Amino acid sequence: MSVALAAQLREGTKKAHTMAENTGFVSCFLKGVVDKSSYRKLVADLYFVYEAMEEEIDKLAEHPVVGPVGKKELNRVESLSQDLAYYFGENWKEEIQPSPSAALYVERIHSLAKESPELLVGHHYTRYMGDLSGGQILKNIAQKAMNMDGDDGLRFYIFDDIADEKGFKTMYRSTMDELPIDQAMADRIVEEANNAFHLNMKMFQELEGNLVAAIGKVLFGFLTRRQRTGSTEAATA
């Protein structure tokens, strides 16, 4: 028995989606306030999340529910690896570690793979469809905010193996709707997709502290320079 899972996921996660967009970090990002130090921490966290997701989904390639949605064209680990090499250098693997919230996210993915692999579909939808839908816009925002040229450091947002993003998303939704699940499982997948949003929010909330600290440092430096300039002007008046 098949259910309209794609539509249920879209409608059932609207509130969580809005909440995630309204976190301080994402709100600042969308407004073009992006600190490179905070951004590279986000890239590192995402690497650990996608590494876990792609590792488990690859193991479940023959699973009747998980296998069909595991489209290789969506995989992000290689792109994130390139970005991390850009930000941290060739030895980037020795320079990064997951934040507590990312570690919790990774733990949840591995736990589901063992206990209820079908629920990974909710995580897959939440992350990959969000990346594909808003990737180009976020890439342009980050590129402008951090004064970056070209795609280096922003490969995460580029899907080289997907020529027609709109067509791919239509195909992905059709695949979701054809999964061999009943309504009870669909409800659980939607619930887990909301959990995925909350796990993402926890990562964003951790990054807010880094962003606020970075903005404060810039403002402090600006005020200090103004004070020095004022003192110099007063001394020469």
Side-chain angles (χ1 to χ4, degrees):
M1 172 183 170
S2 61
V3 296
L5 181 59
Q8 291 188 56
L9 279 165
R10 184 176 63 252
E11 293 300 315
T13 59
K14 276 186 175 180
K15 183 178 179 180
H17 193 171
T18 300
M19 289 173 64
E21 287 186 342
N22 287 334
T23 58
F25 180 81
V26 177
S27 181
C28 285
F29 194 116
L30 294 173
K31 292 174 183 175
V33 181
V34 185
D35 165 61
K36 190 170 286 188
S37 176
S38 297
Y39 181 77
R40 73 175 193 169
K41 284 183 173 67
L42 172 63
V43 174
D45 275 353
L46 290 175
Y47 171 81
F48 290 108
V49 170
Y50 280 98
E51 181 185 44
M53 187 107 68
E54 290 168 18
E55 174 189 338
E56 296 296 357
I57 287 177
D58 188 55
K59 291 177 184 176
L60 294 163
E62 301 303 318
H63 192 280
V65 176
V66 181
V69 302
K71 311 293 185 184
K72 297 289 188 183
E73 303 97 309
L74 290 168
N75 285 359
R76 296 290 83 201
V77 167
E78 179 56 36
S79 298
L80 286 163
S81 297
Q82 293 176 30
D83 286 345
L84 289 168
Y86 173 85
Y87 291 113
F88 291 94
E90 292 183 4
N91 297 322
W92 59 268
K93 284 191 176 182
E94 299 169 15
E95 300 291 328
I96 65 171
Q97 60 182 4
S99 66
S101 55
L104 186 67
Y105 199 162
V106 168
E107 181 182 346
R108 181 61 178 170
I109 290 170
H110 288 311
S111 176
L112 288 177
K114 294 177 183 177
E115 299 168 8
S116 302
E118 296 87 355
L119 301 187
L120 286 174
V121 171
H123 287 269
H124 195 278
Y125 167 85
T126 299
R127 282 270 21 136
Y128 291 100
M129 284 300 97
D131 299 333
L132 189 60
S133 296
Q136 195 59 43
I137 293 173
L138 294 175
K139 172 179 173 286
N140 291 339
I141 291 173
Q143 193 171 45
K144 183 176 180 180
M146 295 188 288
N147 296 313
M148 299 169 71
D149 294 320
D151 297 331
D152 289 343
L154 300 168
R155 300 295 308 175
F156 172 65
Y157 299 113
I158 301 171
F159 291 80
D160 288 324
D161 296 327
I162 299 177
D164 179 5
E165 292 185 2
K166 184 177 179 180
F168 186 92
K169 286 188 287 186
T170 298
M171 179 270 292
Y172 183 91
R173 294 188 190 103
S174 295
T175 299
M176 300 276 277
D177 289 343
E178 293 168 2
L179 295 177
I181 60 174
D182 57 18
Q183 187 56 49
M185 179 54 71
D187 291 342
R188 291 182 65 198
I189 290 173
V190 172
E191 182 181 5
E192 190 59 37
N194 278 297
N195 187 36
F197 271 109
H198 289 301
L199 288 167
N200 277 281
M201 285 170 61
K202 287 181 179 179
M203 286 200 307
F204 299 148
Q205 287 162 354
E206 277 194 36
L207 288 165
E208 282 175 28
N210 296 321
L211 182 60
V212 169
I215 293 173
K217 186 176 180 181
V218 171
L219 288 174
F220 178 77
F222 173 74
L223 291 172
T224 301
R225 287 194 297 275
R226 285 202 64 178
Q227 289 172 350
R228 288 173 180 168
T229 301
S231 297
T232 301
E233 290 173 350
T236 58

